[in-house]
Amino acid sequence: DDVKGVMVYLDLISNAKRYVYIETPYLIPDHDLLTALKLAAEKGVDVRIITPHIPDKWYVYQLAWNAYQELLESGVKIFEYTPGFIHAKCFVSDDVQATVGTVNMDYRSLCLHFECGVWMYRTRAVLQVKEDALKTFAESHEVTLEEFQKKSFLVRTFMGALKLFAPLL
C-alpha cells in the first residue's frame, strides 16, 4: 500500500510542536488538511504558509483566498511571495523533518495524480529547507484578516461559489 502525500502532510502538521512552514503554489486544502492546520495554530504551533502573489491560474488563486479566512482566524500566518510565481512544494517542521516534492495542496495532487516527494528526518537538509522558507518569508507579503475582509461581498460570494469546482481544477 502506497503512502499518500496527504498522509505525510497530515503527519507533519499534527506532530509539529513549535512550527510548521509550508510552501505551495496551490492552497486548496481538503477538510482534513484545513482542520489540521487550524488545530495546530490553535494549540500554539507557528503555522506559516507561503503561496504565490502572482498566480499562474487566476481561479486557483481565488480558491486559495477561500481558505485564507478560516486559516487566518485560527492563527495561521499566510504569506504571498511577491517577486513572482513560486512553485515550491515544501514542508518543514521543528528542525526535525521536512518534505520536498511534487505534491500540491489540492485535490488533484492529493487524490488523483501520482505525485512523489522526499521525506527527510534529522538531516542537515531539513535545516536547509527551513533556511529557504525563512528567506522566502522575507520576500513575501503577510496577508491579514482585515485585508481579506476588505474584499467586496460579491467577490467573496464568487470565491465561495468557485469552491464547488475545486476538485475539477
Side-chain angles (χ1 to χ4, degrees):
D1 197 26
D2 59 356
V3 176
K4 303 282 186 207
V6 69
M7 300 307 288
V8 174
Y9 287 175
L10 285 170
D11 185 66
L12 276 160
I13 297 164
S14 300
N15 289 312
K17 303 286 186 256
R18 295 181 294 126
Y19 77 87
V20 61
Y21 299 156
I22 301 165
E23 295 177 65
T24 182
Y26 310 122
L27 178 64
I28 310 170
D30 66 7
H31 174 76
D32 293 340
L33 278 170
L34 188 65
T35 300
L37 290 164
K38 289 167 39 179
L39 288 174
E42 289 169 0
K43 72 178 184 180
V45 175
D46 179 14
V47 180
R48 299 184 197 180
I49 302 172
I50 302 169
T51 64
H53 180 70
I54 300 171
D56 62 341
K57 299 173 182 86
W58 68 268
Y59 49 88
V60 173
Y61 182 72
Q62 294 304 319
L63 283 166
W65 268 84
N66 249 331
Y68 284 11
Q69 182 172 5
E70 274 189 77
L71 293 169
L72 291 166
E73 287 173 345
S74 295
V76 173
K77 295 177 184 139
I78 299 174
F79 295 79
E80 290 187 344
Y81 181 71
T82 53
F85 183 71
I86 189 167
H87 205 248
K89 294 112 175 160
C90 306
F91 277 58
V92 62
S93 174
D94 295 341
D95 296 348
V96 175
Q97 58 182 332
T99 183
V100 175
T102 65
V103 186
N104 293 304
M105 286 186 70
D106 65 7
Y107 179 79
R108 291 184 331 162
S109 275
L110 296 170
C111 300
L112 299 177
H113 294 169
F114 294 98
E115 304 281 358
C116 62
V118 175
W119 176 71
M120 297 162 262
Y121 182 75
R122 296 191 185 277
T123 70
R124 281 182 286 168
V126 170
L127 297 178
Q128 291 171 329
V129 175
K130 178 185 179 183
E131 183 179 320
D132 180 67
L134 293 173
K135 286 179 184 174
T136 307
F137 287 127
E139 297 181 88
S140 301
H141 163 74
E142 185 172 358
V143 178
T144 65
L145 186 57
E146 295 77 25
E147 187 177 341
F148 176 85
Q149 291 169 337
K150 284 183 182 175
K151 289 195 176 285
S152 74
F153 174 76
L154 186 61
V155 169
R156 288 182 291 168
T157 302
F158 172 73
M159 290 181 340
L162 191 59
K163 190 175 181 178
L164 296 171
F165 299 98
L168 304 173
L169 304 176

